């Protein structure tokens, strides 16, 4: 398996719509495995292929505390969504950024599994939120798109500043005044 690079907002590649996967083969399974490894290494609970610059309809999830219940959803579709409740969301493509969004509390999803076989599942709570969040990525949508333009601008500036600080040599950073 390979740890993949996660694209960060406002990278325009995060805005691409993912194409359906025509055939579940070893390459798709390898991608799913690499995405799981990447998600676990980044302490995430979900990751969409779009976030690793692969524009295919594939997402991986694991909301278990033990990190031992991976889910692979290929070509996922929401069949039913009910209820609405706010929940705090974060995103591996927006490190350190969290905000409350309202999402459906109960969903029914159809997808192909890692084995290529179709299945349906019901999800609620955190799992339902994660599936909806990752499916948004497949459409080129980020959770910040639900926020006001002002909040998005503030988040963009904050992330750009943090990226700049990470790329600056530590000697320069240590001598720079704190703002």
């Amino acid at each position: 398996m390979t740890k993949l690079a996660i694209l960060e907002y406002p990278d325009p590649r995060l805005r691409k719509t993912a194409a359906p996967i025509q055939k579940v083969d070893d390459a798709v399974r390898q991608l799913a495995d690499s995405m799981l490894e990447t998600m676990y290494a980044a302490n995430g609970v979900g990751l969409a292929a779009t976030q690793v610059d692969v524009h295919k309809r594939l997402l991986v999830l694991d909301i278990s505390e033990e990190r031992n219940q991976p889910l692979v959803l290929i070509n996922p579709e929401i069949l039913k969504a009910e209820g609405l409740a706010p929940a705090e969301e974060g995103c591996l493509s927006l490190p350190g950024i969290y905000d409350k969004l309202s999402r459906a509390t109960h969903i029914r999803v159809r997808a192909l599994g890692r084995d290529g076989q179709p299945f349906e599942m019901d999800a609620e709570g955190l799992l339902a939120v994660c599936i909806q969040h990752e499916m948004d990525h497949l459409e080129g949508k980020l959770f910040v798109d639900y926020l006001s333009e002002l909040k998005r601008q503030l988040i963009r500036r904050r992330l750009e500043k943090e990226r700049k600080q990470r790329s600056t040599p530590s000697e320069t950073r240590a001598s720079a005044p704190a703002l």
Side-chain angles (χ1 to χ4, degrees):
M1 289 185 287
T2 305
K3 189 170 173 258
L4 306 168
I6 299 172
L7 300 177
E8 290 188 9
Y9 177 79
D11 192 309
R13 294 172 291 180
L14 289 167
R15 299 302 184 174
K16 291 184 180 179
T17 302
I21 292 174
Q22 301 303 320
K23 180 182 174 197
V24 179
D25 56 15
D26 287 341
V28 170
R29 285 186 280 277
Q30 178 61 47
L31 174 60
D33 292 345
S34 294
M35 288 173 58
L36 283 163
E37 180 181 338
T38 302
M39 178 191 77
Y40 289 134
N43 263 347
V45 293
L47 186 67
T50 302
Q51 292 176 273
V52 293
D53 201 21
V54 177
H55 304 284
K56 296 181 179 178
R57 297 190 74 75
L58 167 64
L59 58 92
V60 297
L61 306 151
D62 189 344
I63 63 166
S64 68
E65 285 189 32
E66 300 81 21
R67 314 297 281 155
N68 62 356
Q69 296 176 23
L71 283 172
V72 175
L73 280 73
I74 300 166
N75 298 335
E77 308 170 62
I78 294 179
L79 303 174
K80 183 169 81 171
E82 299 175 339
L84 197 64
E88 187 168 78
E89 289 188 33
C91 182
L92 294 176
S93 292
L94 290 108
I97 305 296
Y98 299 89
D99 214 316
K100 282 195 183 215
L101 296 185
S102 288
R103 299 238 191 219
T105 54
H106 302 306
I107 61 171
R108 181 149 189 86
V109 180
R110 177 188 308 142
L112 299 177
R114 193 179 184 284
D115 59 2
Q117 295 302 307
F119 70 95
E120 290 186 12
M121 66 181 276
D122 292 310
E124 60 184 44
L126 178 59
L127 182 57
V129 168
C130 288
I131 291 171
Q132 292 169 83
H133 176 106
E134 300 309 331
M135 285 183 68
D136 274 354
H137 279 297
L138 301 179
E139 299 300 327
K141 191 170 191 171
L142 297 157
F143 90 93
V144 292
D145 295 342
Y146 294 99
L147 306 176
S148 71
E149 179 59 31
L150 177 61
K151 271 192 175 180
R152 280 195 302 277
Q153 288 174 5
L154 292 171
I155 289 168
R156 188 178 306 116
R157 279 190 228 128
R158 175 178 159 190
L159 290 174
E160 287 170 355
K161 180 180 177 184
E162 288 172 4
R163 265 192 290 281
K164 194 179 288 186
Q165 287 175 339
R166 282 194 308 246
S167 65
T168 303
S170 59
E171 304 87 46
T172 308
R173 233 184 303 142
S175 62
L179 300 177

